[in-house]
Amino acid sequence: MTEEKRTGILPHNCILEDRKKLSVSGVKDVGSFDEETIIAQTEYGELTIKGEKLHITKLSLEIGELCIEGRINALSYADIIDKSGSFLSRVFR
């Protein structure tokens, strides 16, 4: 059995070619997208892709693959937020 199947975590890679093509693996969902911003959920946090004339050319959530074309200006991650309760509920456990 492969490591991915045992842990349930998809491998995550980003391959950027000439700032025009971006391939991302390990994608669980795409939250929102337009021509300037694409927000993808990965096992390692929320990935925000910023650029110009961005187009999703391939999206397969079954295998966790996302391909984007356009001018890529920035990639940034936000940490995974623990949604197990509010701040006060975690303090008074």
Side-chain angles (χ1 to χ4, degrees):
M1 182 178 276
T2 65
E3 182 67 24
E4 296 87 31
K5 291 187 181 193
R6 274 186 266 139
T7 62
I9 297 175
L10 297 171
H12 178 61
N13 295 298
C14 294
I15 301 171
L16 180 60
E17 301 174 31
D18 301 323
R19 290 182 67 180
K20 295 179 184 174
K21 291 183 180 181
L22 176 66
S23 299
V24 183
S25 62
V27 174
K28 298 191 306 183
D29 193 16
V30 174
S32 66
F33 61 93
D34 59 32
E35 287 191 339
E36 296 178 350
T37 305
I38 298 172
I39 299 174
Q41 305 299 325
T42 74
E43 293 285 347
Y44 297 95
E46 182 180 87
L47 173 62
T48 302
I49 301 117
K50 294 196 178 233
E52 301 165 14
K53 298 181 181 177
L54 299 178
H55 298 283
I56 296 175
T57 57
K58 180 178 182 182
L59 175 61
S60 176
L61 297 179
E62 292 81 27
I63 61 173
E65 188 173 359
L66 171 65
C67 296
I68 299 167
E69 289 184 359
R71 175 145 173 98
I72 313 296
N73 293 332
L75 302 173
S76 63
Y77 286 89
D79 289 334
I80 299 172
I81 298 171
D82 180 17
K83 296 182 180 177
S84 62
S86 69
F87 173 74
L88 290 177
S89 67
R90 289 189 307 254
V91 168
F92 292 111
R93 281 189 195 177

